Amino acid sequence: MVTIARQFNGPPGSGNGGYASGVIAAGLEHDGPVEVRLTTPPPLDTPLAYERDRDEVRLVTHGGALVGHARPGGFLREAPRFASADEIEAGATSYPGFVHHPFDMCFTCGTQRGDGDGLRIFSGPIDDGLTAAPWDAHESFAGENGTIDEPVTWASLDCPGGWAADFSQQPMLLGTMTAEVYAAPAAGQRYHAVGQLDRREGRKFYTSTALYTPEAQLVGRAEQVWIEIDLG
């Protein structure tokens, strides 16, 4: 059994897509990229269970409703390029979420979350279709060994892609996320988060994200499909 705590929300009342995807991926026990497809907004503070079948794991509610499923995946594009220290600061300064944010309590990118409560990754544009922001990995998210777990790391790889597609112009929800973490982030360290919009097809936005050390070492990367929604 596993529970997505209320702290890890995305839109009000449901789990952060990246965090929830990381929780589902953790049940697969696979080395390499993992593809997660979310089928319903992940419920908060609700007991959930894994169901395993060959190379797939599903996360379901007590009543059997499917939250999402994971399987071995692969990347279709190159990871977004490294962004320099000056670029991540410029990206944070130009963060559109400071002006308008559809989900300002989001665990990853919400402006109303404090240090140690949310990740506070504020990704703004630095180039055509490219966003960047610093992430100062807070010790409150670290385990006993001082490193950040995979669900929180997946969350850090989530919203920079959504802001590359610009949440402030069209609210979106995460549909599919493929990610791989190469090295667990360490508490107390700064990381460079980068997002890139690859293309749009109707209501779908295809994005890529990457997390780097200040020395340009790739810590983790992801590809996402976002689906535009109507909040009206």
Side-chain angles (χ1 to χ4, degrees):
M1 301 296 292
V2 64
T3 299
I4 300 172
R6 188 159 298 276
Q7 177 183 8
F8 304 113
N9 71 284
S14 64
N16 174 275
Y19 184 87
S21 294
V23 169
I24 298 170
L28 190 61
E29 300 177 353
H30 169 72
D31 292 328
V34 175
E35 177 188 303
V36 176
R37 184 180 299 272
L38 297 173
T39 57
T40 192
L44 300 171
D45 292 338
T46 301
L48 304 170
Y50 291 112
E51 292 181 349
R52 295 177 175 85
D53 181 17
R54 296 184 180 179
D55 289 334
E56 181 176 277
V57 64
R58 297 177 293 275
L59 191 65
V60 298
T61 67
H62 179 70
L66 178 65
V67 176
H69 54 89
R71 63 183 182 183
F75 296 116
L76 303 176
R77 302 177 288 274
E78 295 295 322
R81 68 167 177 84
F82 173 74
S84 70
D86 288 343
E87 285 178 313
I88 63 171
E89 293 295 349
T93 299
S94 62
Y95 180 46
F98 290 138
V99 178
H100 172 66
H101 199 312
F103 309 124
D104 61 6
M105 287 297 293
C106 173
F107 172 67
T108 300
C109 65
T111 54
Q112 300 303 306
R113 304 296 288 264
D115 290 333
D117 177 47
L119 300 186
R120 295 176 58 83
I121 301 177
F122 301 147
S123 303
I126 61 168
D127 203 346
D128 186 28
L130 197 69
T131 63
W135 176 37
D136 296 312
H138 198 279
E139 62 184 10
S140 67
F141 304 119
E144 293 182 358
N145 63 355
T147 62
I148 310 296
D149 67 16
E150 289 224 356
V152 172
T153 305
W154 275 58
S156 76
L157 289 164
D158 177 17
C159 296
W163 286 105
D166 199 348
F167 282 127
S168 67
Q169 297 299 310
Q170 56 274 313
M172 297 170 286
L173 294 179
L174 184 67
T176 303
M177 182 171 180
T178 300
E180 183 173 10
V181 177
Y182 304 110
Q189 299 299 310
R190 167 162 285 198
Y191 294 91
H192 296 209
V194 187
Q196 181 173 303
L197 174 63
D198 295 297
R199 71 184 189 278
R200 176 179 183 175
E201 295 179 359
R203 297 171 65 89
K204 292 184 178 180
F205 295 79
Y206 295 80
T207 64
S208 303
T209 61
L211 194 66
Y212 291 94
T213 67
E215 296 76 31
Q217 176 188 352
L218 185 61
V219 172
R221 59 172 299 200
E223 294 177 355
Q224 302 106 342
V225 180
W226 299 86
I227 302 172
E228 183 179 357
I229 61 171
D230 183 2
L231 292 180

